[in-house]
Each structure stands twice: as structure tokens, then as C-alpha cells.
Amino acid sequence: MTILDGNIVTVAMPAIQSDLGFSGPGLAWVVNAYLIPFGGLLLLVGRLGDLVGRKRMFTAGLALFTAASVLCGVAGSQGVLIAARALQGVGGAMTSAVVLGMLVTLFPEPREQARAIAVFSAVGAGGGALGTFLGGALTQLVNWHWIFLINLPIGIVAWLAAVRVLAPEKGAGLGKGADYPGAALVTSALMLTVYVIVGAGDRDGAATALLALLATVLFTAFVLRQARAARPLLRLRLFRSRLLSGANAVQVLMIATMFGFQFIGALYLQRVLGYGELATGTAFLPAPIAIGLLMLVLSARTIGRFGPYRVLLAGLMLITAGMALLSRAPADGSYAADFLPPMMLMSAGFAAAMPALTGLAMSGAREEDGGLASGLFNTTQVVGGSLGLAILSTLAASRTDDLLDGGAQLSQATADGYQLAFRVASTTAVTALALAALTLRTRHPDERNKN
């Protein structure tokens, strides 16, 4: 539900704009108001989850997210919708930041943990991919308000289940790591970073550079603070783990590729192939189905047999191949020949790569840092998705404008812009593959036993 809400508004944006009278730049804040607090707070609330108890943080965040969803659904003005979206981002961060930490604690045995991570990844991937479909279906069949109101029954059931099923955790106590100046620095730095990325296309280069410099200064101050604080919010030794640091770096690149595909791919279907809202959502539907099935049926088995390192590399190879094929999608292309095959290749690749990458990242953290590592992993997802969206959409729009200025037809210019974005995304996937090969190599248990 929380992952789905990050992109369910994409297809509904024109309806929201028409109903509430948003300007073009103002409409972007329906997305940005969610992403900025979500990405900015993940690291902080992940650490706080370790201190006050992950179950307590999870259930509180779920309640806040559900209540904020209702506010979004009944919003009758721009200000109310944007404020409610920001509250959703806070609640989403509170739940997402601690969930992986709870997962690895509940399932410490390697094979069970791999199976649990596969299920978790399948649900998350399904939520992300289903956002486009549900956004189009609910907007066209009912109205845009229901893309938010549908969260009410889901949130209530999830909260009741969490209260009953999850074991209570006391946490280490706020006195173990309540570095409030450090919390203020890192939260401000992360929020500003997400703001810089998601709004880069609406500002001139000098303003973007200045804001990026300010974010860098805040991050530097935070690192210096953590190195000297008696009870740091973030133990810097966490980054000494090759697996945790490498997995997070790879994830930025992989998610940038996949999020860019989802956004640019939807635009290609609508603006080049002429699909409507519901048709676009339906066209993406095979992806979450394939991802869910592959993760649930094969992921844990393949990781158990070949090890997460090999499975991750195979998945990244499939993602790269799919993006390379998609970069050839022409102006007169067809869904069956030019879009569906590469989409399914990337779906299979993501189904293999994501659980393997998650397991590698969390295996590099100690149990007492589980919430923090979970928050960090989710933070890099947001940063990667925001970067992919900002960079690829800007490249596509710039290329299209240049071709139109040169006298090209609209359909051809638009398709060429999207092809450029897909080519850059495929290069990003290759970079992720190379980085994973260099930093994440681990020995499979069978290899260790032979020695």
C-alpha cells in the first residue's frame, strides 16, 4: 500500500489538475509532497525504530498513513491535498523504514529468510507496478478520490493484523542513540536532496547547484557530528560493511533504471501509441503478475541453490537486455512487438535481482542496527527512483524539443526522446551490473563446504 501510493497518482494527475485547478508546476507537488518527507525521514525513523521498538514505529506509521489517505481522498482544495500527501509520506516512512529489520529478525535462518524476503519483495514490486493500473482504473471508472480512499479498509486490516501477529519489542531505549542535532542535520539533508532531485526540471541550473551544495554541507556536518557524538544516531561503522554499502549503491542505479522505465514507458504508451488511462494501466499488468509469481515460486530456490551474488548478476543482465531492446521502440511501434517483450525481460530480471540484493544488504548489518539498515535501504530506493525520474524525463523532453525545433513531426520527435531516455537507462543498468560484480561477490555455502 505504501509503495503503491508513491506512483498511483501518476495516471490520475490530469484528473486531479482539472478538478482542483493546479498549474503545471503546482501539480508536481502532488508527488513531491509525498516523496520529500518519505525519503527524508527514512533514515531517522529507521534508527528510532531500533530505539523505541520496531512494532511500535510500524503500527504508528500505518495508522498515520491510513488517516492521511482519507484526508487525501476527501480533499477539496490544493492545500489540503498537498498537506495530506506530506502526512502520507511521514506515515509511509515510519512503516517502510523498519519492515526489513523486523523481517530479518523474525526469520534468522538463511533459507527461511530468503523465502521471506522473496515474499516481501514480491508484494513491494507488485504494489509499485500495480499503482499505474489501479490509478488508471479507479480514475476512469469512479474518480481520482478513490485512489486514496481505497487505502482505508486495507490500512485497518493491516493495522489489526500487525497488532495481533507481530511480537512486541522494547527497543534499546532513546538514551542509546537520541542524537537530536544529528537527526535534524540528516533529515534536513535528505529532504533537501530529494527536493533538489524532483524539482530540478523546474529551476535554473544555478539554483539547483546552490541547493545541492547546501545539501552536501548538511551531509558533511552530519558525518562530522556522528564521528564525534557520544551516542550517534548513525554508527559510521555501518558503512564499513562492503555488502551493505555496495548493495545500496547498486540499488540506486537499478531502481533509477526501473522507475525510469515505468514512468517513460507509460508516456510512450500514451503519447506515442495513443493508449488511454485504463489501457495504459492494463498494458503494465503482466509485469507485476510475472514479478510476483517468479519471486514467490523461484526466487528463494534459485538464491538457495546458486547464491544471491549469481542470482543478482543474472537479474541485472536481464534488466540491461530489456532496456536495450526498449531503446529501439519506434514511433510506429506496437505493444506486442516492441513493448511487451522487453517489459517481461525486465520483470524477470527485477524478480531475480531485488530479493538477492535485499538479502545481501541486510546481511551486512548487525541485529541492533536492523532498523537503521532497513531505513538506509529504503532511502536509496527513493533516491534512485527520484534520480531516474528527474534525469530520464529531462533528457527525453530536451531531445524532443530539439527535434521539434528542427522541424520533426511530433510523434517521431516524442519517440526519439523516449528512445534516448531508454538508452541512458540501459547504460545505468550496465553500470549497476559492473558495480555489483566488483563489490558484492560472496561465496555460496556449497563452495565453502568444498574447501
Side-chain angles (χ1 to χ4, degrees):
M1 182 177 65
T2 54
I3 294 174
L4 181 150
D5 237 74
N7 62 3
I8 195 173
V9 299
T10 303
V11 182
M13 294 283 260
I16 295 173
Q17 183 177 24
S18 175
D19 194 12
L20 299 183
F22 277 100
S23 64
L27 186 64
W29 281 98
V30 177
V31 176
N32 295 350
Y34 180 86
L35 287 178
I36 291 171
F38 184 86
L41 290 170
L42 280 166
L43 199 58
L44 171 60
V45 295
R47 182 55 180 161
L48 289 177
D50 290 333
L51 301 179
V52 304
R54 295 167 199 158
K55 176 181 179 179
R56 186 177 301 170
M57 180 65 69
F58 182 83
T59 52
L62 192 53
L64 177 60
F65 182 90
T66 305
S69 296
V70 176
L71 287 177
C72 288
V74 300
S77 67
Q78 298 178 17
V80 172
L81 179 59
I82 290 174
R85 286 287 285 167
L87 285 176
Q88 271 193 312
V90 176
M94 292 169 68
T95 57
S96 299
V98 297
V99 67
L100 279 174
M102 290 192 297
L103 197 68
V104 296
T105 301
L106 287 167
F107 300 96
E109 196 275 322
R111 289 190 179 274
E112 285 190 350
Q113 188 176 109
R115 195 175 301 115
I117 288 176
V119 174
F120 169 78
S121 300
V123 172
L130 280 172
T132 305
F133 171 75
L134 289 178
L138 290 171
T139 301
Q140 186 165 321
L141 298 178
V142 193
N143 59 58
W144 66 265
H145 296 276
W146 281 94
I147 67 175
F148 301 113
L149 292 175
I150 196 175
N151 290 336
L152 178 59
I154 300 172
I156 291 173
V157 171
W159 187 88
L160 291 172
V163 169
R164 292 193 61 181
V165 172
L166 297 176
E169 292 180 316
K170 292 183 178 180
L174 286 174
K176 297 289 186 179
D179 176 24
Y180 297 110
L185 285 171
V186 72
T187 301
S188 300
L190 284 169
M191 283 189 173
L192 184 57
T193 299
V194 177
Y195 173 70
V196 169
I197 294 170
V198 299
D202 300 324
R203 292 186 296 267
D204 59 58
T208 299
L210 183 61
L211 290 172
L213 177 61
L214 178 57
T216 303
V217 170
L218 289 171
F219 272 122
T220 302
F222 170 70
V223 172
L224 293 175
R225 168 77 187 177
Q226 298 311 286
R228 301 175 61 183
R231 292 172 177 169
L233 179 75
L234 171 61
R235 299 183 181 92
L236 297 181
R237 62 168 169 76
L238 191 69
F239 294 98
R240 296 175 186 168
S241 167
R242 171 180 57 85
L243 292 179
L244 185 140
S245 298
N248 277 278
V250 170
Q251 181 174 231
V252 169
L253 299 172
M254 185 179 78
I255 296 298
T257 300
M258 295 301 297
F259 200 91
F261 154 71
Q262 187 172 334
F263 183 78
I264 303 295
L267 292 178
Y268 174 80
L269 291 174
Q270 290 178 311
R271 297 181 179 177
V272 177
L273 300 188
Y275 279 39
E277 296 167 343
L278 183 57
T280 299
T282 305
F284 273 94
L285 199 54
I289 294 174
I291 290 172
L293 289 175
L294 288 172
M295 283 183 174
L296 293 173
V297 176
L298 294 178
S299 180
R301 294 180 183 177
T302 54
I303 290 173
R305 181 172 180 180
F306 300 106
Y309 174 74
R310 293 175 181 173
V311 174
L312 172 61
L313 295 188
L316 290 172
M317 288 177 186
L318 290 175
I319 292 173
T320 301
M323 287 303 310
L325 286 176
L326 196 58
S327 68
R328 302 166 59 89
D332 59 349
S334 70
Y335 172 76
D338 301 299
F339 193 86
L340 182 61
M343 180 177 72
M344 299 311 291
L345 270 179
M346 284 185 282
S347 298
F350 188 77
M354 192 61 195
L357 189 63
T358 303
L360 287 168
M362 295 305 295
S363 68
R366 299 180 183 180
E367 183 176 343
E368 64 267 25
D369 293 324
L372 181 60
S374 175
L376 178 63
F377 195 69
N378 281 284
T379 299
T380 57
Q381 283 189 5
V382 175
V383 172
S386 300
L387 277 172
L389 175 59
I391 294 173
L392 296 179
S393 60
T394 300
L395 286 173
S398 178
R399 173 65 173 167
T400 297
D401 290 343
D402 290 343
L403 291 174
L404 289 175
D405 291 342
Q409 293 184 349
L410 178 60
S411 60
Q412 186 62 53
T414 304
D416 284 356
Y418 297 152
Q419 286 178 355
L420 173 62
F422 291 140
R423 286 197 296 273
V424 173
S426 65
T427 303
T428 304
V430 170
T431 307
L433 175 60
L435 184 61
L438 290 172
T439 64
L440 298 180
R441 177 167 175 76
T442 56
R443 299 178 68 188
H444 189 258
D446 291 343
E447 295 178 50
R448 293 195 293 266
N449 292 338
K450 289 178 182 178
N451 295 328

